[in-house]
Amino acid sequence: MRGFRSITIPALLVIALSACSVTATPGGSPEGAGQKSDGPVAIGFSQATQQSPFYVQLREGAEAAAKKAGATLYFADAGGDVTKQNNDIQDLITRQVDVLLINPVDPQGVQPGIAAAKAAGVSVVTVDRPVPEGAVAHVGRDNKAMGALVGKRLSEQLGAKGGKVIEIRGDAGGAVARDRSAGFHEAVAANPKIKIIEGPYSDYVRSKAVTAMQDLLQVHPDVAAVYAHNDDMALGALQVLKENGKDKVLVSGVDGLMEAVKQIPSGQYVATALNDPLSLGAKAVETVLKVKKGEKVEATIDAGTALIDTGNAAQYTGAGEFAQAAQ
């Protein structure tokens, strides 16, 4: 996976970084490290991965907002490797960016990069995944609330009969996975007939969820429902269930992936929670620009969420890859 990408847009430069040089435009001359020139605000965006549609759109939302603001965005993809992410952050610091926007692979593992930013006098804003310390602000959504919204709806659908619910988890040690799990568990706790079977961590990747679900279905053929920490994994589970004739097993996820939203009216896919990545990326860049200007920002900025189920799926259905938050 490429660590960096390069595109040229009139008001926005997403510039490819390498170990040796940066090329500002195709055919342009390399700029040496540390040669920060006067001009647009320079934002360094270190992202955890591009392996999920959510993170692709998060990047696109940030890019679009930077372009609108006339800022320069330097982008780096860690490819799920925290060591590479720390190296990426060092590279971005070398570019003398004004502010760093970090979507951490691991909240603890990225601390060396955050410490390096602090030493260089570069403020850090995190997006989607928080870190325990070192960031002036975090922009995200209440993942515990998302899990609770979906858990309450799924519990209602299962009713007094309850049953086994397989939980396909996100990433080990991640705050998002932890909160989406906690919210869900708390919401279904009122129904004593629901038994949660904790599945493996599948890193929010559909193909990994498919493999996990194939194994889990053999052990738990009497499963009543599946809850996955994102819709991409939930759709992988749904694929396996359909292949095995399990069309009565309920499925739910998080993020409002349009492919999932369009499944809801059929009944088997019960619910998802809104987590529009385009607006989240835009909100993160908006926050970064406020930090650069020295404006006061909240330590935690909640971009908001909502339940999407049979009652409102039609109003969220559209051409985008994710359901969009109300503007």
Side-chain angles (χ1 to χ4, degrees):
M1 178 169 293
R2 294 176 297 173
F4 302 85
R5 62 192 291 269
S6 175
I7 58 175
T8 303
I9 307 174
L12 167 70
L13 298 176
V14 179
I15 304 177
L17 302 180
S18 69
C20 302
S21 64
V22 175
T23 302
T25 58
S29 59
E31 297 180 35
Q35 294 179 354
K36 176 83 166 65
S37 60
D38 294 333
V41 174
I43 302 167
F45 184 12
S46 171
Q47 194 171 27
T49 182
Q50 289 281 273
Q51 283 293 308
S52 164
F54 178 86
Y55 291 112
V56 172
Q57 293 247 301
L58 181 64
R59 182 203 75 217
E60 291 175 358
E63 289 175 352
K67 175 184 177 181
K68 185 176 180 180
T72 299
L73 187 77
Y74 296 85
F75 175 78
D77 171 19
D81 183 341
V82 72
T83 299
K84 183 180 185 305
Q85 183 160 50
N86 282 317
N87 290 336
D88 289 345
I89 290 169
Q90 290 284 1
D91 286 340
L92 291 167
I93 293 168
T94 300
R95 294 304 313 149
Q96 294 192 346
V97 296
D98 295 302
V99 185
L100 271 168
L101 179 61
I102 300 177
N103 168 230
V105 171
D106 180 287
Q108 293 291 349
V110 78
Q111 286 300 314
I114 292 176
K118 182 179 180 180
V122 178
S123 296
V124 171
V125 173
T126 55
V127 60
D128 184 55
R129 302 175 179 184
V131 293
E133 59 182 350
V136 297
H138 172 68
V139 183
R141 291 192 167 94
D142 188 336
N143 287 287
K144 191 172 181 180
M146 291 181 193
L149 285 169
V150 174
K152 182 175 184 293
R153 182 66 184 85
L154 187 61
S155 180
E156 291 170 349
Q157 192 74 16
L158 288 170
K161 187 177 180 180
K164 287 184 180 179
V165 178
I166 287 175
E167 179 181 11
I168 300 180
R169 297 178 290 176
D171 56 331
V176 171
R178 178 197 66 214
D179 290 349
R180 290 183 182 184
S181 181
F184 182 82
H185 281 243
E186 288 179 15
V188 303
N191 188 340
K193 294 295 185 179
I194 291 178
K195 179 182 179 181
I196 298 176
I197 308 297
E198 293 186 342
Y201 293 103
S202 296
D203 299 318
Y204 304 103
V205 177
R206 187 180 308 201
S207 60
K208 292 184 179 181
V210 167
T211 301
M213 192 64 209
Q214 288 169 338
D215 294 339
L216 287 162
L217 194 56
Q218 291 183 31
V219 181
H220 304 285
D222 57 340
V223 59
V226 174
Y227 165 62
H229 290 181
N230 77 345
D231 289 317
D232 211 33
M233 294 191 298
L235 288 164
L238 181 64
Q239 173 189 324
V240 174
L241 291 170
K242 287 184 173 181
E243 289 171 352
N244 287 272
K246 300 283 188 179
D247 58 351
K248 301 297 183 183
V249 178
L250 305 178
V251 178
S252 59
V254 175
D255 282 345
L257 185 65
M258 190 57 65
E259 186 180 350
V261 173
K262 290 179 177 178
Q263 288 281 346
I264 289 174
S266 67
Q268 187 171 7
Y269 206 106
V270 175
T272 182
L274 182 71
N275 190 22
D276 175 13
L278 290 174
S279 65
L280 185 61
K283 177 69 74 174
V285 167
E286 176 187 315
T287 303
V288 163
L289 294 173
K290 287 181 179 180
V291 169
K292 172 61 173 68
K293 292 176 183 177
E295 297 180 18
K296 182 176 175 59
V297 296
E298 297 293 327
T300 301
I301 298 163
D302 186 357
T305 187
L307 178 71
I308 303 175
D309 63 3
T310 52
N312 62 3
Q315 75 184 59
Y316 283 105
T317 301
E321 197 163 0
F322 287 83
Q324 292 189 351
Q327 300 300 313

